[in-house]
Amino acid sequence: MTKQVRQLDRVVIRFAGDSGDGMQLTGDRFTAETAQLGNDISTLPNFPAEIRAPAGTLPGVSSFQVHFADFDILTPGDAPNVLVAMNPAALKANVPELAPGAEIIVNTDEFTPRNLAKVGYTSNPLEDGSLDRFVVHPIPLTSLTVGALADHDISKKDAERAKNMFALGLLSWMYSRPYESTLRFLERKFAARPELAAANIAAFKAGWNFGETTERFAVRYEVKPAKMAPGTYRNITGNTALALGIVAAGVRSKLPVVLGAYPITPASDILHELSKHKRFGITTVQAEDEIAAVGVALGASYGGALGVTTTSGPGVALKGETISLAVALELPLVIVDVQRAGPSTGMPTKTEQADLNLALFGRHGEAPVAVIAPRSPADCFTAVLEAAKVALTYRTPVILLSDNYLANGSEPWLLPEVESLPDLRVEFATKPNSEDGKTFLPYLRDPVTLARPWAIPGTPGLEHRIGGLEKADKTGAISYDPANHDYMVRTRAARIANIPVPDVEVDDPDGSARVLVLGWGSTYGPIGAACRTLRQRGLAIAQAHLRWLSPLPANLGEVLARYDRVVIPEMNLGQLAQVIRARYLVDAIPYNKVRGLPFTAAELETMLEEVVKNA
């Protein structure tokens, strides 16, 4: 039948089901198809920490949200326009976030009395009128899939598991997505079992054909490509961007890269990705624990490599002593902290920004380090290159604060030209540097950077002491002299304070705003989307975002002083707000959230509107 095609400028779709229903794979494939069309994209995976959470329960619900549009977008979206619910638990967990009029595609096969009771439904929501404010499409996804695969030589269980591909085919038809890449993906994924590849491909095509032929869907939709800068793009997650940025840092510095890591959610994917790139001089070591992992990385730096370690908050705590040792040794070290909800084990698959205090102050003694935070998944690539540049130039540990939201979320990334990336090459000490040319002084500093020479062990004539005991200025001899200790502590602090951090830029279109929203890390998208909407409604508001958290930009104090109100949204209990208040004596207004979920643009818009009107 001929069906109407309706143009849309943006859509938010959420796939939800059990953690074993393949919702992450389904969402990832839909995103890949959408990226091929040239839409702007932002995604939000959300899944339980358990490998196989209790089936059919609320804690076991896994979801994947994708927002795509024909214009520049900043977030994965607030309320989904379409919810695909594979069971009652998925419906109950997600329906409160839907706006009236949203479409719900429901797998009716799973709405049995037992499954309904398992999540507290006393009646079937598909029959009791509780969903009347939505457009509901009840479809027996499981039985349709099994029927479509009746001629395939696979078990009933395997046929039922292919229902996510049926749903993907249906949604791909509804939103006019290409599908050739998904068919190739399925062939590769099940290459060892061709019968499963054929079955999943057949399920996908059955879902597409169901949409084409059924009378339940009279309309399909199109979202035009977004206007983007010319070039080659790929869809990328924050963790993949970090891994590729580390590879690029090795290439641009012409140094071997050694990653010492212990698997920890949500940072493990960086280790997995880097292990694929040995041809670029990348060595990955899965250590026995977090302490050993950072020791491997620091030892590699001592030997003349770029040492990197990746972890999350609990791992940073364990690495603290060795990071302090790196401060004392004055060697380059990149520490990637992909933050998750804590404290302790907390909620490993949920997001938070609560490691800022740990990054700034979580070491014994006076041990300042540089701290940088990317603002989006694609920005993780640029940020880790910047972190490596500072680590190598200033011989210091640098902590990069990503988080779960960035790590697993994705967006289009414009591939840079290699020649456009920063030159990270360093010069090692090769000969004695004393005035008489006979002695090597390991703490004779560069007058601009205050960095000490980097001497590879075994270089003739450059023998010197290294270790955690305090060293004498210039000579590096062990020293307990009070004046020398004071000098060395202050000099190490000055080395960090003098890093030339770019000025913070303010987005204040007409210069009339009285309220400034200051953010850092992954709050960039929700803050930007909220400010964009408020400006469209005629309200003046300014936005600034911090990439560098230590040292802070030199012009930050002057920027803060220009505004009557400074609001700082954070996914913690106000850690940056405390720093800003103490450093600049500004009565910053904290707005905090620790729910394991990112801010929505709508909640920030509501809060900021109130602040602007009362300013």
Side-chain angles (χ1 to χ4, degrees), residues 90-110:
L91 178 68
K92 188 166 189 177
N94 291 284
V95 78
E97 298 181 39
L98 301 181
E103 293 191 76
I104 306 177
I105 297 173
V106 184
N107 180 16
T108 56
D109 289 324
E110 292 296 320

Side-chain angles (χ1 to χ4, degrees), residues 354-372:
D355 291 351
L356 178 57
N357 282 343
L358 178 63
L360 294 175
F361 312 117
R363 290 163 297 283
H364 58 280
E366 292 287 346
V369 301
V371 181
I372 189 173

Side-chain angles (χ1 to χ4, degrees), residues 265-307:
T265 301
S268 300
D269 288 341
I270 306 172
L271 169 62
H272 301 159
E273 180 65 29
L274 281 175
S275 67
K276 304 173 185 176
H277 299 292
K278 295 180 176 63
R279 66 186 183 280
F280 291 107
I282 308 294
T283 300
T284 53
V285 179
Q286 181 173 318
E288 63 269 30
D289 56 41
E290 295 281 7
I291 300 172
V294 70
V296 165
L298 182 57
S301 289
Y302 173 59
L306 173 57

